[in-house]
């Protein structure tokens, strides 16, 4: 495909997303009908689409129109690229720019350039204060590709060497002890031997850093209450010997966990909800709760435009409910860890404060935020323990 043809494909997909189709479904639908597109073509089209999703509001403003064509014109202008060079009408490229498109170069207001729904900006301000604008700006750009080295399989240096042998350049970064940032060859990771053999796992740097803050004693019984694919459980188990349990209210989310654990050299018991009480108590219960994912919107930009005030309220209710249920599973003197990949105080310290006020037996033993950064997503961790004299589960 020519560069112009890739732009035309992206426009088609963006229009489907604008009409309500999920981004991944729109990409898959296009790919099924574009058998001629090679892997580099598909990757380039995807990059165009996600760049527009990150800049959904500003690209429409700069392109003068909220269509796929207008947003693609605006996205190119935001990149400093003259869209006329790609909108040529030749070789399946989009039609040449019209008189109005040439005359109106598009302008974006400061509000447009935040690339957030208008209702959400006050929440950013109240949660992040002086960091609100830098965080919104960071979310307009691509996320880093981060790996976690599994110490059960090897060390950082070995992982770097093996990755390099397969065309993947990765460097240690300070955010976490076992973190590598990939700067070249990221699309080769899923098919490289270091990944296939469990030496490295894809995991964001802030998530790795949060797991490193957990104080897990050797031999501890640990439950990942909202395990999903099990990434955080594998990170915990890669650092210390213990007995590992995984649970998720939607059990199908854990379907890949047994294979991932086996690849990483870890044994993990998957528990249904009905089995939790019998398996309790646990020395550590990790609640990586469902959230807006606002700290990860570089990776999932569609989510910030789909979020509604009602959904935010619903999520905080779900988060509070999970904390209350998980607390009953913690052993005396055990720890309840609460994490989100959100930057919003409503999902973070507000939920924790409400939980502690509802059940005064619990108090905050530690709390930390990680900002959206060059090596990590926005992330939150609170460590909760029962107060002295309230040590019964």
């Amino acid at each position: 495909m020519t560069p112009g043809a890739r732009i035309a494909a992206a426009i088609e997909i963006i229009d489907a997303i604008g009409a309500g189709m999920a981004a991944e479904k729109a990409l898959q639908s296009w790919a099924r009908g574009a058998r001629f597109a090679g892997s580099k073509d598909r990757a380039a089209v995807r990059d165009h689409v996600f760049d527009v999703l990150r800049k959904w509001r500003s690209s429409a403003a700069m392109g003068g129109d909220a269509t796929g064509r207008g947003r693609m014109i605006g996205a190119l202008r935001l990149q400093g690229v003259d869209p006329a060079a790609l909108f040529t009408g030749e070789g399946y490229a989009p039609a040449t720019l019209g008189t109005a498109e040439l005359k109106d170069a598009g302008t974006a207001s400061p509000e447009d350039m935040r690339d957030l729904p208008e209702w959400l900006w006050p929440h950013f301000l109240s949660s992040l204060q002086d960091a609100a604008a830098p965080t919104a700006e960071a979310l307009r750009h691509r996320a880093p590709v981060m790996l976690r080295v599994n110490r059960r399989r090897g060390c950082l240096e070995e992982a770097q060497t093996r990755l390099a042998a397969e065309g993947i350049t990765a460097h240690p970064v300070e955010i976490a002890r076992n973190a590598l940032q990939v700067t070249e060859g990221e699309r080769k990771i899923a098919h490289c031997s270091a990944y296939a053999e469990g030496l490295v796992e894809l995991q964001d740097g802030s998530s790795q850093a949060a797991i490193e803050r957990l104080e897990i004693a050797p031999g501890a019984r640990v439950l990942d209450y909202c395990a999903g694919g099990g990434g955080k459980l594998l990170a915990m188990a890669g650092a210390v010997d213990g007995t590992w349990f995984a649970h998720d209210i939607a059990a199908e989310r854990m379907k890949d966990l047994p294979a991932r654990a086996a690849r990483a050299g870890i044994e993990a018991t998957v528990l249904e909800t009905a089995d939790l009480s019998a398996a309790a108590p646990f020395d550590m219960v990790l609640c990586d709760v469902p959230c807006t994912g606002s700290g990860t919107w570089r990776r999932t930009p569609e989510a910030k435009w789909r979020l509604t005030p009602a959904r935010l309220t619903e999520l905080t209710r779900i988060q509070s409910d999970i904390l209350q249920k998980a607390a009953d599973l913690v052993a005396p003197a055990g720890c309840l860890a609460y994490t989100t990949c959100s930057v919003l105080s409503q999902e973070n310290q507000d939920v924790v404060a409400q939980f502690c006020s509802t059940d005064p037996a619990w108090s905050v033993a530690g709390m930390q935020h990680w900002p959206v950064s060059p090596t990590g997503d926005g992330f939150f961790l609170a460590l909760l323990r029962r107060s002295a004299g309230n040590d019964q589960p």
Side-chain angles (χ1 to χ4, degrees):
M1 297 174 69
T2 65
R6 291 170 174 176
I7 294 288
I11 289 171
E12 175 187 335
I13 296 164
I14 293 163
D15 277 331
I17 295 169
M21 186 178 291
E24 290 297 342
K25 185 175 180 180
L27 283 160
Q28 291 169 7
S29 178
W30 169 78
R32 283 195 297 269
R35 302 294 184 184
F36 55 86
S39 59
K40 291 183 179 179
D41 295 319
R42 292 193 297 272
V45 170
R46 184 183 184 88
D47 285 346
H48 285 314
V49 170
F50 271 75
D51 185 49
V52 167
L53 283 170
R54 292 185 191 98
K55 302 171 184 174
W56 192 250
R57 184 171 171 177
S58 63
S59 64
M62 290 296 292
D65 194 7
T67 61
R69 179 181 173 89
R71 285 193 162 98
M72 201 62 245
I73 290 170
L76 291 170
R77 286 174 175 157
L78 287 166
Q79 296 170 19
V81 176
D82 180 2
L86 292 164
F87 283 64
T88 63
E90 301 174 356
Y92 300 101
T96 57
L97 299 185
T99 303
E101 292 171 329
L102 286 168
K103 183 178 179 181
D104 182 9
T107 56
S109 69
E111 292 77 17
D112 292 328
M113 292 300 290
R114 290 197 293 251
D115 273 307
L116 290 171
E118 199 61 37
W119 71 268
L120 194 55
W121 179 241
H123 293 287
F124 262 60
L125 279 176
S126 62
S127 299
L128 297 164
Q129 301 179 29
D130 290 346
T135 300
E137 176 61 25
L139 292 172
R140 299 176 70 242
H141 303 279
R142 293 185 68 171
V145 178
M146 304 296 296
L147 296 173
R148 177 182 56 80
V149 176
N150 177 9
R151 294 285 184 166
R152 292 181 180 273
R153 297 297 197 205
C155 64
L156 284 169
E157 293 77 11
E158 180 183 352
Q160 281 184 276
T161 300
R162 290 189 57 183
L163 290 167
E166 298 191 56
I168 302 166
T169 303
H171 305 281
V173 287
E174 293 183 357
I175 194 167
R177 291 190 298 269
N178 298 316
L180 292 173
Q181 182 174 8
V182 178
T183 56
E184 187 176 344
E186 61 267 20
R187 290 193 168 95
K188 300 177 182 179
I189 293 170
H191 304 289
C192 76
S193 62
Y195 179 80
E197 295 170 14
L199 175 58
V200 297
E201 286 277 353
L202 285 160
Q203 187 173 19
D204 174 66
S206 297
S207 176
Q208 294 186 50
I211 295 301
E212 289 181 1
R213 299 300 187 274
L214 303 180
E215 297 179 1
I216 303 174
R221 290 167 49 83
V222 179
L223 169 67
D224 188 346
Y225 188 85
C226 308
K232 293 176 180 62
L233 182 145
L234 298 182
M236 291 186 289
V240 63
D241 289 327
T243 305
W244 309 100
F245 299 87
H247 163 267
D248 199 289
I249 192 66
E252 65 274 10
R253 295 176 188 152
M254 299 186 291
K255 67 180 186 302
D256 296 330
L257 198 158
R260 291 184 69 190
R263 187 176 70 213
I266 293 160
E267 292 186 8
T269 300
V270 175
L271 296 174
E272 300 286 342
T273 301
D275 301 327
L276 288 172
S277 296
F282 303 96
D283 300 302
M284 167 80 70
V285 177
L286 171 64
C287 297
D288 184 40
V289 296
C291 69
T292 60
S294 52
T296 69
W297 281 344
R298 294 181 294 187
R299 305 175 191 279
T300 58
E302 181 183 15
K304 68 177 170 180
W305 307 109
R306 304 286 192 199
L307 183 65
T308 65
R311 177 57 176 163
L312 176 57
T313 299
E314 180 186 18
L315 283 167
T316 60
R317 179 192 59 76
I318 292 170
Q319 292 154 2
S320 296
D321 183 59
I322 288 172
L323 266 182
Q324 291 168 6
K325 290 178 178 177
D328 293 334
L329 304 172
V330 181
C335 182
L336 180 60
Y338 176 85
T339 64
T340 77
C341 51
S342 174
V343 299
L344 302 178
S345 58
Q346 292 96 322
E347 301 182 274
N348 295 337
Q349 53 265 48
D350 291 359
V351 170
V352 171
Q354 180 188 22
F355 170 73
C356 291
S357 67
T358 302
D359 189 346
W362 290 89
S363 61
V364 178
M367 188 180 293
Q368 188 164 346
H369 301 255
W370 284 265
V372 180
S373 75
T375 56
D377 294 336
F379 206 84
F380 173 80
L381 166 68
L383 298 174
L384 305 169
R385 293 189 184 276
R386 288 190 182 85
S387 305
N390 295 286
D391 58 355
Q392 292 302 311

